[in-house]
Amino acid sequence: MTLIPITLTINGDLTQVAVHASQTLLEVLRYELRLIGTKQGCDKGDCGACTVLLDGEPVLGCLTLALSCAGRSVTTVESIPRADPLLESFDCHGAGQCGFCTPGMLMTAKGLLAKEKKPSRDSIRAAISGNLCRCTGYGPIVEAIAAVGEGTVQPATEEKLPPPLPSYGAPRK
Amino acid sequence: MLPLPEFTLHSPRTIDEALGLLAKPGAMIIAGGTDLLPNMKQGLHQPEHVVSLQHLAELRAIRVEQKVLVLGAMTSLAEVAEHEDVRKYATALAEAAGTVGGPHHRRMGTLGGNLCLDTRCRYYNQSQFWRSALGFCLKKDGEVCHVVEGGKKCVAAASNDTAAAAIALEAVLVIRGAQGVRRVAAGEFFVADGARNIAIARDELLVALEVPRVAKRVSAYEKLRRRGAIDFPLLSVAVRLDGSAVEVVVSALAAKPRRINGAQKLAATQVEAIAEAAARECNPMPNIDGDVAWRKQMVRVMVKRALVRAIGAAQPST
């Protein structure tokens, strides 16, 4: 197996990483760059847990070859700041329960909100129809995204923020 | 975790370069990857060389010409579904593309990839371990068919949404090979062999789909599935109306999409009779999800729904 060096932009940082042809973007994010926020669910394109933005468009990391991302821009859930209206909205609406689908939901929502400032509930439902959630039943998730579009949530203030997550190793630059 | 088998990835910059690479033994094409990669993860394909069409920008355009609509094979399904001219001149195709998988699949998946989608069967789309327990099957690594007792021909189902629409719209597939360009009518592109139901050689490349533009033509697509997103079709129905002439194509029955012969003799307004003819001619195989008796009954319902919508679209708006 040959390692092939590629350069891509990950969450705004130009990143160099050596990958195998058979590695998916998801595997490189999680196992090479230790960006474990993106979840590995079904690993065959059924669940949407691995959703990341590729050049701004929500795609499935498990079905994207890492080599095909050379020179492109990848945005993962780690790009979302701790104080963010979308995170606060998910929190307030109880839109995350076990949390496994949440990174995928957040990235799909980010992709949608970048295109539509105030998406309708139908358009939200259509956008997240490729992301499976087995806990909350989608209602709270749709409401949480809609609230951001309607501007009824503010990002959490510093004193309300939960402590930062333990670090699993900084991404290689 | 489902690791991919090892392979060499090639990213040609021209069609000729791609054709050269496809001539290598064991080479396969990757377009969007939403069908090939899950299948490779399940050990259904082990290509030595994978040829990516990512950088062939010339395959990624939609062009409106005087008599035809030309859709590049690498156009994403999302773009086909949303494109204004496709919605207008090839409504069934836009609707079909808009029901493939989920929104992520449509953004990644391509029209050419969907037209060349591998057939599906509950005895095939399984892990290596699962398939080995049954001694494999006709389609891959085995000698027996678990669907048709004593069957010698694979009956895995055409599960691509765009196939029925392309046939109903009399679309033509433009194929490039070492010998040059050839054109195949969509109606002849799909063959009744589940092992490989597409009439294209492994070293050929589908470059575009040409859909004729016909005045006052209307079409519609209906899909039966268990949930509103992600699922493959349990039935796939496309109808086309040219005045009172009607064409009905039903797919996800077996390897080859079926044109309903009985419908061709009837006028578009004879909705009940056309639906009846479709139900008589269609016999879904029990190798994909959903009860067979239910799917057979739903042929009638889905054909009717598609026809009613198409007839509605044909009425001059008042």
Side-chain angles (χ1 to χ4, degrees):
Chain A
M1 275 208 296
T2 4
L3 276 169
I4 304 159
I6 57 167
T7 307
L8 69 170
T9 307
I10 295 178
N11 299 334
D13 295 331
L14 208 57
T15 309
Q16 271 194 326
V17 60
V19 303
H20 297 293
S22 59
Q23 273 181 308
T24 61
L25 173 61
L26 174 67
E27 287 164 349
V28 170
L29 288 172
R30 285 184 63 86
Y31 307 123
E32 304 298 329
L33 302 170
R34 293 275 152 199
L35 291 170
I36 56 170
T38 307
K39 296 295 175 251
Q40 190 163 25
C42 69
D43 211 14
K44 55 192 178 73
D46 288 335
C47 74
C50 61
T51 303
V52 294
L53 304 184
L54 183 59
D55 292 333
E57 296 273 3
V59 298
L60 301 169
C62 73
L63 297 186
T64 303
L65 292 178
L67 275 181
S68 72
C69 301
R72 301 174 76 180
S73 167
V74 176
T75 313
T76 70
V77 71
E78 283 89 352
S79 71
I80 304 178
R82 282 170 68 226
D84 184 87
L86 186 61
L87 289 190
E88 181 65 7
S89 191
F90 263 60
D91 204 0
C92 295
H93 287 87
Q97 225 173 72
C98 87
F100 203 85
C101 75
T102 311
M105 287 289 182
L106 289 170
M107 292 324 286
T108 303
K110 283 284 178 193
L112 174 70
L113 289 165
K115 266 195 181 159
E116 288 181 52
K117 287 282 162 278
K118 197 182 165 190
S120 68
R121 280 166 178 71
D122 279 347
S123 130
I124 296 170
R125 282 189 199 97
I128 64 167
S129 64
N131 294 78
L132 296 191
C133 165
R134 303 284 83 154
C135 303
T136 72
Y138 302 103
I141 299 173
V142 174
E143 288 310 312
I145 301 170
V148 176
E150 286 154 7
T152 51
V153 254
Q154 295 305 316
T157 50
E158 190 58 41
E159 57 271 22
K160 270 183 68 190
L161 280 177
L165 288 171
S167 167
Y168 290 91
R172 284 185 217 155
K173 294 263 166 107
Chain B
M1 277 171 62
L2 297 167
L4 283 166
E6 282 174 39
F7 57 87
T8 308
L9 185 72
H10 305 272
S11 300
R13 301 281 163 162
T14 65
I15 292 180
D16 288 326
E17 196 189 334
L19 290 173
L21 290 162
L22 286 174
K24 285 178 188 276
M28 285 186 86
I29 297 172
I30 186 167
T34 53
D35 186 46
L36 182 73
L37 295 184
N39 285 356
M40 280 172 69
K41 286 181 176 197
Q42 293 194 316
L44 300 176
H45 314 295
Q46 293 100 353
E48 215 173 300
H49 300 278
V50 175
V51 181
S52 165
L53 307 182
Q54 185 188 9
H55 296 298
L56 300 181
E58 57 195 294
L59 301 188
R60 197 165 289 166
I62 297 178
R63 268 197 337 269
V64 188
E65 294 183 359
Q66 202 177 3
K67 287 187 178 158
V68 287
L69 199 62
V70 185
L71 298 108
M74 282 295 284
T75 313
S76 77
L77 290 162
E79 211 179 326
V80 174
E82 286 154 23
H83 197 279
E84 219 169 283
D85 293 308
V86 183
R87 298 189 68 85
K88 188 171 167 194
Y89 301 114
T91 317
L93 187 67
E95 289 177 354
T99 65
V100 176
H104 302 71
H105 302 100
R106 293 195 291 275
R107 245 175 251 127
M108 303 165 72
T110 64
L111 176 62
N114 193 253
L115 286 166
C116 296
L117 192 85
D118 198 4
T119 52
R120 297 182 62 82
C121 173
R122 68 161 56 121
Y123 297 98
Y124 171 68
N125 296 98
Q126 302 287 354
S127 66
Q128 179 87 9
F129 175 73
W130 194 104
R131 287 180 294 120
S132 74
L134 278 183
F136 299 103
C137 77
L138 266 186
K139 183 158 164 75
K140 170 97 181 129
D141 302 331
E143 301 294 323
V144 286
C145 181
H146 304 296
V147 183
V148 180
E149 209 176 318
K152 288 283 161 253
K153 202 166 199 185
C154 176
V155 290
S159 302
N160 33 7
D161 292 287
T162 55
I167 297 171
L169 288 165
E170 302 178 300
V172 172
L173 290 94
V174 185
I175 295 168
R176 275 281 300 271
Q179 268 74 50
V181 182
R182 66 184 181 100
R183 287 179 157 71
V184 188
E188 282 151 29
F189 183 70
F190 299 97
V191 293
D193 181 4
R196 187 168 166 87
N197 74 336
I198 46 175
I200 181 168
R202 293 198 182 268
D203 59 354
E204 285 182 316
L205 182 64
L206 171 63
V207 291
L209 183 75
E210 292 178 346
V211 187
R213 284 175 59 190
V214 180
K216 297 195 176 150
R217 168 172 284 187
V218 290
S219 60
Y221 178 78
E222 284 287 339
K223 174 176 185 169
L224 179 68
R225 51 179 165 183
R226 281 180 308 175
R227 30 172 203 186
I230 309 179
D231 278 353
F232 284 99
L234 301 178
L235 279 179
S236 163
V237 176
V239 302
R240 181 197 88 224
L241 266 56
D242 286 308
S244 70
V246 61
E247 166 97 279
V248 179
V249 182
V250 183
S251 189
L253 302 164
K256 188 182 174 175
R258 180 179 279 275
R259 298 168 98 142
I260 306 303
N261 292 322
Q264 286 158 1
K265 300 176 208 101
L266 296 164
T269 43
Q270 296 171 276
V271 175
E272 294 291 339
I274 295 170
E276 196 54 48
R280 221 175 20 245
E281 289 179 37
C282 294
N283 291 301
M285 298 299 285
N287 57 346
I288 54 174
D289 280 348
D291 183 67
V292 179
W294 173 62
R295 280 167 62 215
K296 186 165 168 68
Q297 285 189 14
M298 286 304 284
V299 171
R300 186 183 280 108
V301 179
M302 303 310 278
V303 169
K304 231 189 278 185
R305 279 186 199 165
L307 276 173
V308 167
R309 274 203 305 120
I311 292 168
Q315 305 292 329
S317 47
T318 45

